[in-house]
Amino acid sequence: MPTPPAVEAISARKTYGDGQAAVVALKDVSVQIGKGEFFTLLGPSGCGKTTLLRLIAGFETPTAGQILLDGNDITADPPNLRPINTVFQNYALFPHLTVAQNVGFGLEMQGRPRREVEETAAEMLALVKLEAMANRRCSQLSGGQQQRVALARALAPRPKVLLLDEPLSALDLKLRKEMQSELKRLQTETGITFIFVTHDQEEALTMSDRIGVMSAGKILQIGSPRDIYTKPANRFVADFIGETNFLSADLSGQTLTLPGGFRIDLTPAQTKGRQGQVTVALRPEQIRPADQGLSATVTQLVYFGTDMHSHARLSDGTEVVARMQTSPSGEAALHEGQAITLGFAPEAIQVLED
Amino acid sequence: MAKRKDFSVTRLPGFATIALTAFVALYLPIVTLVVYSFNGSETVAIWGGFSLRWYGIAWDNTQVQEATLRSLIIAASAAGIATTVATMAALATTRTGRFKGETLIYVMINQPLMVPEIVTAVALLIVFAAVKVATGYTGLGYLILAHAAFCIPFAYLPIRARLEGMDLSLEIAASDLYATPWQTFRRVTLPLMMPGVIAGAMLAFVISLDDVIITEFVKSAGQDTLPTYMLGQLRRAVTPEVNAISTALLGLTVLMLTAFFILTRTRD
């Protein structure tokens, strides 16, 4: 018998309010998250990712559907009976307790002996490199330190699943980068399943084993960072993760006709049986000047140091951005108003769902 | 806040005069009271040199002693009851989901602040008279209950303010960390709301200590509190003894209100 996933949501629905004013925050979401996985829920604010997290934590009960932990239905369990801990966006550290007391709180509530509580708290503080702060008040700590205390507090009871609700959003860029690798290290060391919520696509791409992209209360696509980036299922995912160009095209058999009449042959895996009018995505970094390809006119060149963003207009008026490498001297091989042919590998084309 | 600097109320004509008049009107009577409490003469109006004589007389006066003790018993009991009820009311109005008639409940809790005290006093007199006849009980219970009732909003408001200022996610975090609802209350909510509870209790205590109208209507014979005893004294010969008692009461009140301000201002 295969081991059940660490966390599973089955058709989880959450509605706030009732009647005319009802808001559906989560529309029958089903997802399976494996043991020891670093799973990220990614989406813009209001997409339902935090609602899903709160349903897993037990802070809210689903209007319909089920939440399973290791295959057991925990939908009706209150949060204190779930071996799941949360790192809150605002940390929610207890201001009347010391750092060590905060970290030991969960174990103490579980009724563990005082000695064990103190030892584990010290161990956890060592894990997040805050041993020296054990007897401080939380208000005396910096934002980054508070963040680490919140992490230690949530990890101390050795939960089966750790939920992280945009924990890095309050930190400055440098600290955020540090904490990203810190989190990844902690997850590898502890082997605990992490469910991470963020609206930052870069954070999601660099840290996750798998990403679930959410929008308007639904999970649109689940996959590895590479899959999500290179094979976005639809326009929203392609647009939300990284930069991309959208082109209208026509599919006939395996042959794709792009604006200006340029034709290429796609594989069946790419076309997914679609015919007729389709929208395709093409990443800017996949485009090169070539002998064959899309005919365009350069409209604008933007120098970024590492590369050059060339904006070009196709014959049907579509604006396309191509990221091209700069020469060692930083000089552009192109100039505005120049006619150019934009080439790309056929595999770079993604046919999107509607 | 550049605007605020440009417009300063202190530059309005007559500001100094009005401010000074207001302060004099507020504090001159109190200063006079305090000064004349150290009066050595027999009457309030004539200064007879500095003396602690009337403090001694008040201290030795058995009627003052009894009235003081009675006032303290009533104030402590009433503040205790009012604070307990107010704490529960504050929790119920801030820590549950929105419910129908929430505003009505809020208004009802604060009823003593809005209904003229004399109306409450008369109402209590009538009700308690009937209860006295029915039960035969004539103890301090009536005064304690009456005081507790009008002290509730004074205890409720600072506690509610404290609870509203508290981050709800702390209680959610506690439940996330395996605390049962009772443990969450005991270990997180209560310690954090404590300054509000203490402030509420002290405010209730002071309000009860100083009440005249309701006490005057509700008390049975021989149940004078300090303020009603003093009122009774004023009807006869006015001696600096009343000044001495008032000053002592003032001292106690100032002490408690200072503690109240310190407690409500220190947040986390």
Side-chain angles (χ1 to χ4, degrees):
Chain A
M1 197 180 129
T3 51
V7 175
E8 184 171 7
I10 305 171
S11 306
R13 164 177 285 265
K14 182 68 189 176
T15 315
Y16 294 103
D18 40 29
Q20 287 285 306
V23 178
V24 185
L26 218 52
K27 294 172 186 163
D28 307 315
V29 165
S30 295
V31 61
Q32 296 190 339
I33 296 157
K35 279 193 174 63
E37 194 175 12
F38 196 123
F39 190 91
T40 299
L41 290 167
L42 174 66
S45 58
C47 70
K49 58 193 192 298
T50 296
T51 304
L52 181 55
L53 204 72
R54 292 174 69 84
L55 292 184
I56 296 170
F59 305 146
E60 314 215 17
T61 39
T63 314
Q66 280 178 300
I67 305 290
L68 307 188
L69 179 73
D70 291 338
N72 303 314
D73 189 346
I74 57 162
T75 316
D77 292 350
N80 56 306
L81 296 182
R82 300 186 186 196
I84 296 173
N85 290 344
T86 308
V87 178
F88 293 87
Q89 186 169 13
N90 64 351
Y91 315 143
L93 299 176
F94 304 123
H96 59 301
L97 302 179
T98 64
V99 167
Q101 285 169 332
N102 260 285
V103 176
F105 190 89
L107 294 159
E108 204 186 322
M109 291 302 116
Q110 286 180 321
R112 307 276 180 84
R114 175 171 292 272
R115 220 187 123 86
E116 189 195 330
V117 172
E118 281 165 9
E119 279 173 7
T120 314
E123 205 178 294
M124 283 299 146
L125 281 175
L127 193 67
V128 296
K129 304 182 185 106
L130 279 178
E131 304 97 314
M133 304 291 173
N135 295 316
R136 297 266 186 101
R137 293 264 158 187
C138 297
S139 54
Q140 292 170 296
L141 305 183
S142 69
Q145 289 170 332
Q146 289 190 16
Q147 165 70 75
R148 295 220 282 271
V149 175
L151 247 172
R153 183 178 73 174
L155 284 171
R158 294 263 155 191
K160 286 187 175 160
V161 178
L162 187 77
L163 308 177
L164 302 106
D165 187 6
E166 307 220 17
L168 308 181
S169 59
L171 304 179
D172 61 52
L173 185 68
K174 189 165 175 288
L175 214 51
R176 194 152 69 222
K177 296 270 178 215
E178 267 176 47
M179 282 308 294
Q180 282 178 11
S181 52
E182 183 97 353
L183 273 178
K184 192 71 195 162
R185 174 180 71 87
L186 284 172
Q187 199 257 337
T188 319
E189 277 178 27
T190 58
I192 292 171
T193 308
F194 275 35
I195 304 179
F196 186 88
V197 159
T198 185
H199 63 264
D200 183 331
Q201 46 118 351
E202 191 193 312
E203 219 164 80
L205 290 174
T206 53
M207 295 165 75
S208 321
D209 294 322
R210 280 196 308 156
I211 299 172
V213 184
M214 290 188 75
S215 173
K218 283 184 177 165
I219 297 187
L220 300 178
Q221 189 176 3
I222 297 175
S224 69
R226 193 176 303 242
D227 279 351
I228 296 276
Y229 188 81
T230 58
K231 300 189 186 73
N234 58 34
R235 191 177 179 123
F236 179 87
V237 176
D239 200 22
F240 192 72
I241 319 269
E243 282 178 81
T244 199
N245 296 302
F246 295 107
L247 305 173
S248 328
D250 196 73
L251 252 180
S252 168
Q254 297 303 317
T255 308
L256 186 77
T257 310
L258 287 157
F262 179 59
R263 284 159 197 258
I264 47 166
D265 285 334
L266 301 180
T267 64
Q270 276 174 294
T271 58
K272 297 163 200 146
R274 300 280 303 276
Q275 290 296 303
Q277 270 291 319
V278 291
T279 302
V280 300
L282 183 59
R283 297 284 183 191
E285 67 272 20
Q286 301 295 337
I287 304 177
R288 308 260 174 284
D291 299 333
Q292 276 198 320
L294 298 161
S295 308
T297 312
V298 177
T299 55
Q300 199 188 359
L301 294 166
V302 185
Y303 182 64
F304 272 79
T306 49
D307 51 18
M308 175 82 80
H309 289 200
S310 314
H311 296 249
R313 187 176 292 119
L314 305 184
S315 56
D316 70 338
T318 312
E319 278 273 356
V320 170
V321 180
R323 283 167 75 157
M324 299 180 184
Q325 278 181 352
T326 45
S327 64
S329 66
E331 268 171 56
L334 299 170
H335 56 85
E336 286 166 22
Q338 183 183 346
I340 185 174
T341 305
L342 303 171
F344 48 86
E347 306 85 67
I349 288 284
Q350 278 302 310
V351 179
L352 300 175
E353 292 164 13
D354 291 317
Chain B
M1 283 301 193
K3 257 280 190 281
R4 185 171 272 189
K5 212 171 182 183
D6 294 341
F7 174 76
S8 168
V9 78
T10 57
R11 274 196 245 148
L12 290 178
F15 173 79
T17 322
I18 293 170
L20 203 67
T21 314
F23 277 117
V24 167
L26 274 174
Y27 289 102
L28 189 65
I30 295 176
V31 171
T32 316
L33 172 100
V34 173
V35 169
Y36 274 87
S37 73
F38 298 106
N39 191 353
S41 97
E42 284 291 330
T43 51
V44 173
I46 303 154
W47 180 252
F50 179 85
S51 160
L52 288 174
R53 173 182 167 200
W54 292 105
Y55 282 91
I57 290 173
W59 184 260
D60 292 330
N61 185 337
T62 49
Q63 277 181 297
V64 174
Q65 289 169 3
E66 280 167 19
T68 307
L69 188 63
R70 205 172 286 121
S71 272
L72 291 176
I73 291 171
I74 294 169
S77 316
I81 296 170
T83 309
T84 311
V85 174
T87 303
M88 293 193 286
L91 283 168
T93 48
T94 58
R95 288 298 184 273
T96 51
R98 293 198 65 83
F99 52 88
K100 241 188 170 152
E102 211 181 315
T103 318
L104 182 70
I105 299 250
Y106 183 77
V107 171
M108 282 170 71
I109 291 167
N110 291 304
Q111 173 266 2
L113 292 180
M114 287 166 272
V115 174
E117 206 182 339
I118 190 78
V119 175
T120 314
V122 173
L124 285 171
L125 174 72
I126 295 165
V127 172
F128 284 159
V131 177
K132 273 179 202 173
V133 171
T135 62
Y137 172 72
T138 54
L140 277 183
Y142 299 110
L143 276 175
I144 291 173
L145 270 183
H147 278 224
F150 71 73
C151 283
I152 287 171
F154 293 97
Y156 173 76
L157 292 174
I159 299 172
R160 184 193 163 100
R162 177 79 198 177
L163 276 172
E164 276 181 337
M166 260 166 65
D167 188 357
L168 262 180
S169 66
L170 293 176
E171 283 146 302
I172 295 173
S175 72
D176 186 60
L177 292 160
Y178 313 107
T180 60
W182 170 248
Q183 282 174 318
T184 301
F185 175 72
R186 185 62 203 81
R187 296 296 309 277
V188 176
T189 316
L190 192 61
L192 288 173
M193 75 189 285
M194 217 48 202
V197 173
I198 294 170
M202 287 196 325
L203 207 57
F205 186 84
V206 170
I207 295 289
S208 160
L209 205 60
D210 139 280
D211 179 74
V212 173
I213 300 175
I214 287 176
T215 314
E216 195 66 52
F217 276 72
V218 171
K219 74 181 166 76
S220 307
Q223 286 189 346
D224 265 322
T225 61
L226 207 50
T228 62
Y229 169 77
M230 285 158 67
L231 189 65
Q233 287 302 295
L234 290 179
R235 292 197 189 115
R236 295 181 218 131
V238 184
T239 63
E241 187 184 357
V242 173
N243 291 33
I245 301 168
S246 303
T247 305
L249 210 52
L250 178 72
L252 180 66
T253 312
V254 167
L255 216 67
M256 296 199 67
L257 287 181
T258 310
F260 164 79
F261 272 113
I262 292 170
L263 277 169
T264 42
R265 278 183 59 188
T266 47
R267 291 197 167 260
D268 309 325

